[in-house]
Amino acid sequence: MIVVTGGAGFIGSNFVLDWLASSDEPVVTVDLLTYAGNRDNLKSLDGDPRHTLVQADICDRAAMDRVLAEHQPRAVLHFAAESHVDRSILGPSAFIKTNVEGTFTLLEASRAYWSALSAERQAAFRFLHVSTDEVYGSLGPQDPAFVETRAYEPNSPYSASKAASDHLVRAWHHTYDLPVLTTNCSNNYGPLQFPEKLIPLMIVKARSGDPLPVYGDGMNVRDWLYVTDHCSAIREVLARGRLGETYNVGGWNEKPNIEIVQTICRLLDELAPDPKGSHSRLITYVKDRPGHDRRYAIDAHKIERELGWRPAETFETGIRKTIEWYLANEAWVSRITSGAYRDWLDDNYGKRGN
Ligand code: NAD
Ligand code: DAU
């Protein structure tokens, strides 16, 4: 069996659902169920003997020791993190705690567990760390895309905390021989994403007729990947990745933010027209994010060359599926856009102005 931390979040829950759709190997999800973790995401697995949800903090060493001792996994897949850049700007402390201390705690628990395994099980064990392209910093318009050998230059509290966690993972391999793998992925989108990130935020706001807040000049560039493509990349790296290596994962799909928002408006105009007029009338430029990275782009040649992975979805197919999912799951959205969510919108956007 495998342990998945953060399996009730956006990418983690997509990963668990995909895994159990194509394999009978059991999964234990370890998740603190913060604001970003949602039991509903895994509801279709209720009563499925292949899945166990343990509500626990990755910073809690005793709890991590118990999970590993009880379930005897062959792999730990580490998705759990504080993941939103804007939240890291307004309150960095939780990011240092979960992303740095939590990863450290999980590495130490995994090392103790792995050290006591038989030689055969030790050789088969994997600790797969799910990280981000943001650790590489920001690109200029003509710079080549990020390769795995690029120096780390994190710019936000979030990316600095993820960079720190990547360094810990690397060191646990180099020093203790823990069999680790790291993936650095670009921006994901798709079903089950909490509506604080660009794409679901814009869909949800457009549906309720609220202004669509585009930061700065809207020309910051991200490289978008449909979430199930990220999941398939992780499965490949887990199965055949070389120990101690890092693999960049991306969609070959760079787009400025304003183009993303315009595409969402166009598709909503087609799929859920608003009698008041095109959704694009709601686009509003607001004050920029402090330290806003200008451009990310992933060179995903290594994972293609070594593991034969390429994304299956184009942006056109993926964004349509995503919008259709949000339109079909408005009850899921309304259950999580509670008081705490409205407080967040107030904190992040209330004082932003134009
Ligand atoms: P998310 O915020 O949707 O989910 C994070 C999950 O971790 C939640 O279920 C939350 O409850 C859980 N969690 C948080 N703190 C915890 C703790 N202390 N102990 C246990 N569980 C805890 O994040 P996501 O977008 O699904 O990202 C998952 C991972 O992928 C993160 O490590 C993130 O850095 C990385 N990543 C995300 C993207 C993206 O575009 N979303 C891209 C590349 C990499
Ligand atoms: O690159 C991978 C990273 O992508 C992940 O590691 C992070 O966990 C994930 O949150 C994401 O970070 P970004 O900051 O790129 O994603 P976000 O959706 O917050 O923003 C995408 C772009 O859209 C960014 O340039 C900021 C802009 N934006 C975002 C929001 C929320 C806006 O213009 N308006 C907004 O309201």
Side-chain angles (χ1 to χ4, degrees):
M1 59 83 56
I2 60 169
V3 163
V4 172
T5 72
F10 163 48
I11 306 173
S13 60
N14 274 285
F15 182 85
V16 171
L17 294 169
D18 272 16
W19 180 273
L20 291 174
S22 59
S23 154
D24 281 333
E25 185 173 11
V27 177
V28 172
T29 294
V30 175
D31 199 299
L32 185 56
L33 299 175
T34 67
Y35 80 92
N38 186 348
R39 275 179 199 276
D40 262 11
N41 294 359
L42 299 170
K43 207 173 170 42
S44 61
L45 299 174
D46 282 356
D48 187 326
R50 300 172 304 163
H51 183 249
T52 308
L53 173 63
V54 178
Q55 184 172 0
D57 188 338
I58 56 165
C59 299
D60 180 343
R61 173 66 194 268
M64 295 306 104
D65 286 344
R66 269 196 306 278
V67 166
L68 296 172
E70 187 180 331
H71 297 283
Q72 296 286 309
R74 70 163 175 103
V76 172
L77 283 79
H78 179 32
F79 294 80
E82 288 292 334
S83 69
H84 190 34
V85 173
D86 291 323
R87 286 187 194 255
S88 84
I89 294 167
L90 290 179
S93 149
F95 288 72
I96 304 306
K97 179 99 177 132
T98 286
N99 300 357
V100 185
E101 191 185 325
T103 301
F104 162 71
T105 306
L106 194 64
L107 280 166
E108 278 294 80
S110 300
R111 180 166 76 93
Y113 164 74
W114 169 78
S115 303
L117 295 175
S118 67
E120 192 187 343
R121 291 192 62 208
Q122 270 190 2
F125 183 79
R126 297 289 181 270
F127 183 103
L128 191 152
H129 177 56
V130 179
S131 192
T132 170
D133 60 357
E134 299 201 11
V135 297
Y136 297 121
S138 184
L139 293 167
Q142 306 305 329
D143 290 340
F146 299 133
V147 288
E148 287 81 354
T149 48
R150 187 185 161 97
Y152 275 27
E153 288 179 345
N155 289 319
S156 72
Y158 164 69
S159 55
S161 69
K162 290 296 289 188
S165 69
D166 292 10
H167 291 323
L168 292 174
V169 171
R170 176 190 158 86
W172 260 240
H173 176 65
H174 189 81
T175 305
Y176 304 114
D177 287 331
L178 189 70
V180 308
L181 299 155
T182 296
T183 54
N184 293 92
C185 188
S186 63
N187 287 59
N188 284 215
Y189 68 102
L192 300 168
Q193 186 168 31
F194 191 79
E196 63 184 356
K197 308 283 167 62
L198 180 72
I199 288 180
L201 180 97
M202 294 297 169
I203 299 171
V204 168
K205 281 187 171 290
R207 286 290 288 154
S208 42
D210 291 330
L212 308 179
V214 175
Y215 295 164
D217 64 0
M219 290 306 289
N220 298 67
V221 171
R222 298 293 184 264
D223 177 352
W224 294 95
L225 182 70
Y226 193 66
V227 63
T228 53
D229 279 326
H230 188 186
C231 297
S232 70
I234 290 171
R235 289 197 300 272
E236 291 300 333
V237 172
L238 178 66
R240 291 182 295 115
R242 286 188 292 129
L243 293 187
E245 291 290 317
T246 65
Y247 292 90
N248 282 353
V249 183
W252 298 108
N253 193 17
E254 287 183 59
K255 291 196 188 299
N257 295 334
I258 187 65
E259 198 180 314
I260 300 287
V261 178
Q262 281 161 346
T263 302
I264 292 170
C265 291
R266 183 173 43 75
L267 283 168
L268 282 174
D269 289 348
E270 175 196 326
L271 298 168
D274 181 343
K276 292 194 182 121
S278 170
H279 292 90
S280 59
R281 75 187 190 284
L282 300 168
I283 294 175
T284 309
Y285 289 90
V286 299
K287 191 162 179 268
D288 210 351
R289 172 187 278 176
H292 196 176
D293 284 340
R294 192 64 175 167
R295 173 178 165 236
Y296 304 141
I298 278 281
D299 181 329
H301 279 116
K302 178 178 174 182
I303 189 170
E304 179 170 2
R305 196 172 57 244
E306 292 193 10
L307 306 177
W309 177 89
R310 266 191 79 84
E313 298 287 345
T314 62
F315 189 71
E316 289 62 40
T317 58
I319 192 69
R320 184 175 280 275
K321 280 190 193 177
T322 303
I323 291 175
E324 285 170 349
W325 187 87
Y326 278 89
L327 290 174
N329 289 277
E330 289 191 327
W332 179 91
V333 172
S334 61
R335 279 197 292 278
I336 57 175
T337 43
S338 62
Y341 177 73
R342 283 194 293 276
D343 291 347
W344 160 251
L345 293 183
D346 238 26
D347 287 349
N348 191 44
Y349 298 97
K351 297 168 205 84
R352 197 174 277 270
N354 293 71

